[in-house]
Amino acid sequence: MLRLGEKVTIVEDTFEQNLPLGQYAFVIAYDRNPDNAFDYLIRVPFLNRNFFVPASDIELESVVLKQEAERVEREALIDFALSTYNEKLFRQVMNGELESVAEEEETKETLSQADFIKQVNLRAWI
């Protein structure tokens, strides 16, 4: 449940009230009536109007900004992978495996000199 005065962003217009999508608003009241489809009363300073909205139509501004930053970061990685012809990075970003690659790189251990020589000799023998 959102607090009163919380800054939210309008992400949907379920009841087609001509809400300005993408604009910010402030929660000014709750609607506690269980028979009503609306959960909040919001104030949209851009239009200088109040709207009754369900909880699914609004999202905290910080959450929306975080999602947008992740989307921009992903697009930048895709552009970088395409411009550098890095197929491995491109596939990882497209399949959502980017986090697992970072964990694998952290867990890689450096080989001791004896282990390295064993691996070289083994490959040379094959």
Side-chain angles (χ1 to χ4, degrees), residues 12-31:
E12 199 173 337
D13 191 5
T14 305
F15 292 106
E16 298 178 3
Q17 304 177 69
N18 292 328
L19 294 174
L21 297 178
Q23 291 292 325
Y24 72 94
F26 296 97
V27 176
I28 58 173
Y30 303 119
D31 192 357

Side-chain angles (χ1 to χ4, degrees), residues 43-116:
R43 173 81 175 162
V44 182
F46 177 73
L47 298 177
N48 201 21
R49 289 187 58 197
N50 300 336
F51 293 97
F52 283 100
V53 294
S56 62
D57 282 0
I58 58 176
E59 188 69 51
L60 279 174
E61 186 181 39
S62 59
V63 172
V64 173
L65 290 175
K66 183 179 177 185
Q67 290 172 347
E68 185 66 19
E70 288 172 357
R71 184 189 64 80
V72 168
E73 179 184 6
R74 185 172 185 266
E75 287 178 0
L77 281 173
I78 291 171
D79 289 344
F80 176 75
L82 290 173
S83 66
T84 58
Y85 303 105
N86 190 343
E87 184 178 351
K88 183 179 177 184
L89 176 63
F90 179 76
R91 290 192 187 280
Q92 289 170 351
V93 171
M94 294 304 290
N95 293 333
E97 300 171 358
L98 195 58
E99 295 82 22
S100 64
V101 171
E103 292 172 1
E104 287 176 10
E105 289 177 359
E106 291 174 2
T107 60
K108 276 188 178 177
E109 297 178 14
T110 58
L111 295 176
S112 67
Q113 187 176 5
D115 291 336
F116 177 75

